[in-house]
Every structure is written in C-alpha cells, then in structure tokens.
Amino acid sequence: PARPRVVFLGDSITDFWRLREYFSSDRDFVNRGISGQITGQMLGRMLADVVELKPSAVLVLAGTNDIARGVPVRAIQNNLTMIADLAVAHKITPIFASLLPVSNEQAVRRPPATIRALNDWLAKFCRDRGYVYADYHSKMAEAGGLMPADLADDGLHPNSKGYRVMAPVALAAVDKVLKPPPAQKKR
C-alpha cells in the first residue's frame, strides 16, 4: 500500500525503457513491454502481465505497430477499449498514453495523420471515461507533427533524451491517479 504498483504495458518503446533509470527507486514500476506487439497481443496478455501482478494502475502505450501493419483504426480502438474494461473489472486504474510522433521512413509506415487521429480518439476516450491521458505526443512533436531527430535515433524508438521527455509526463499521469492520502493531523 505504501508503494502502489504500476505496470507499463506496451511494445518496444516500453520494452526498451529502463524504468529504474528514469524514476526513483521508491516507485514500484513494472515494465511489461514486448517488442513488435500490437494491441490485440497486449489484450491477450492482460491477465498474465497485468492482472496477476495486482497493480493499482496500468499505463498503456500501444498502437504504433498496429498502424504500421495496417490494422484498422477501429480494431485498435476496440482492443484499447477491452484493455480498459479488463483493467477496471479487476480494480486497476487504466492510464492511456498518446502514440509518439515518428520521423524519417517511419512516417511512411506510420502516417502522422493516422497517429493524430488515434491520439484524438484516445484523448476523447479518456475524457469520456474519466481516465488520465498521458500526452507524450505534444511534448515530443515538432510543428509538422514529426519527432525531432535528437529524440529518437531511428525515427521511432526514443533515445535517452526522448525518454527523459517522456518520464515527467508518465510520472504526472501516475501521480494524478495515485494521489497520496491527505496527511493526518496530530491530536
């Protein structure tokens, strides 16, 4: 109870994020990113990788691989909705993160307009359901919606500078969900 657990669920962007390097050691943050996964695969491992770990919250970053593989946006939305529903059914608070911007050749397979459309849906979904939305995209995109070259060496996966931009956004979202109890007055 003193250290509520948060599972970070995602694909390679999550998988490569060494959480202990970016967050204090008093946080119980568990990385459950698996490279190459799409939202349907993440939905399939909700029980083993999230529910069975008994977290207070799950921070979901998912969808970029779906877009690259041509998964229809509606299917991505359905999978994310089911991830949220499973979390809530198990008394786990879902937090959803925006998809990151991309650059270089990644923008061909992951069109910025599709990323923007999915992020717009995610923001509305979170507003409608009262979930916290972690908006990485607005902190990591240049005016044209692409990721600056200094935040990702390959145009997709954040480098250490990119993760340093993401970490405060994630922490603010987690802290919004896991509000510390008010201090007790001494009598």
Side-chain angles (χ1 to χ4, degrees), residues 13 59-62 95-101 115 118-120 122-123 126 133-140 166 169:
I13 294 168
L59 176 59
V60 181
L61 173 55
I95 302 168
F96 286 91
S98 65
L99 276 67
L100 305 184
I115 290 171
L118 191 54
N119 284 343
D120 289 346
L122 270 167
C126 288
Y133 177 62
D135 187 3
Y136 298 136
H137 192 278
S138 68
K139 302 285 186 194
M140 299 183 75
M166 293 170 64
V169 176

Side-chain angles (χ1 to χ4, degrees), residues 59 84 104 108 131 140 143 176:
L59 176 59
N104 306 332
V108 174
Y131 302 151
M140 299 183 75
K176 198 170 190 179

Side-chain angles (χ1 to χ4, degrees), residues 88-154:
V88 169
H90 290 279
K91 297 179 179 23
I92 301 165
T93 303
I95 302 168
F96 286 91
S98 65
L99 276 67
L100 305 184
V102 295
S103 61
N104 306 332
E105 67 280 351
Q106 297 293 343
V108 174
R109 295 183 59 219
R110 295 166 173 88
T114 306
I115 290 171
R116 200 167 27 260
L118 191 54
N119 284 343
D120 289 346
W121 177 85
L122 270 167
K124 182 180 183 323
F125 176 69
C126 288
R127 271 193 314 275
D128 291 349
R129 290 212 176 181
Y131 302 151
V132 171
Y133 177 62
D135 187 3
Y136 298 136
H137 192 278
S138 68
K139 302 285 186 194
M140 299 183 75
E142 294 178 313
L146 297 176
M147 186 182 302
D150 66 335
L151 296 182
D153 301 328
D154 64 357

Side-chain angles (χ1 to χ4, degrees), residues 8-90:
F8 284 57
L9 180 69
D11 51 36
S12 57
I13 294 168
T14 301
D15 190 13
F16 299 160
W17 196 353
R18 293 183 204 96
L19 300 178
R20 298 260 181 257
E21 291 181 22
Y22 296 89
F23 301 101
S24 70
S25 61
D26 68 335
R27 298 291 186 143
D28 188 3
F29 288 173
V30 179
N31 189 319
R32 286 297 181 262
I34 296 180
S35 294
Q37 286 209 324
I38 59 175
T39 56
Q41 292 169 311
M42 291 177 216
L43 174 61
R45 62 188 175 91
M46 272 293 291
L47 183 63
D49 280 358
V50 179
V51 174
E52 290 181 359
L53 297 177
K54 301 185 184 336
S56 297
V58 58
L59 176 59
V60 181
L61 173 55
T64 194
N65 291 331
D66 298 69
I67 293 170
R69 294 183 194 167
V71 175
V73 169
R74 187 73 190 128
I76 301 168
Q77 293 168 346
N78 288 340
N79 290 334
L80 294 172
T81 299
M82 287 185 279
I83 287 171
D85 291 345
L86 273 171
V88 169
H90 290 279

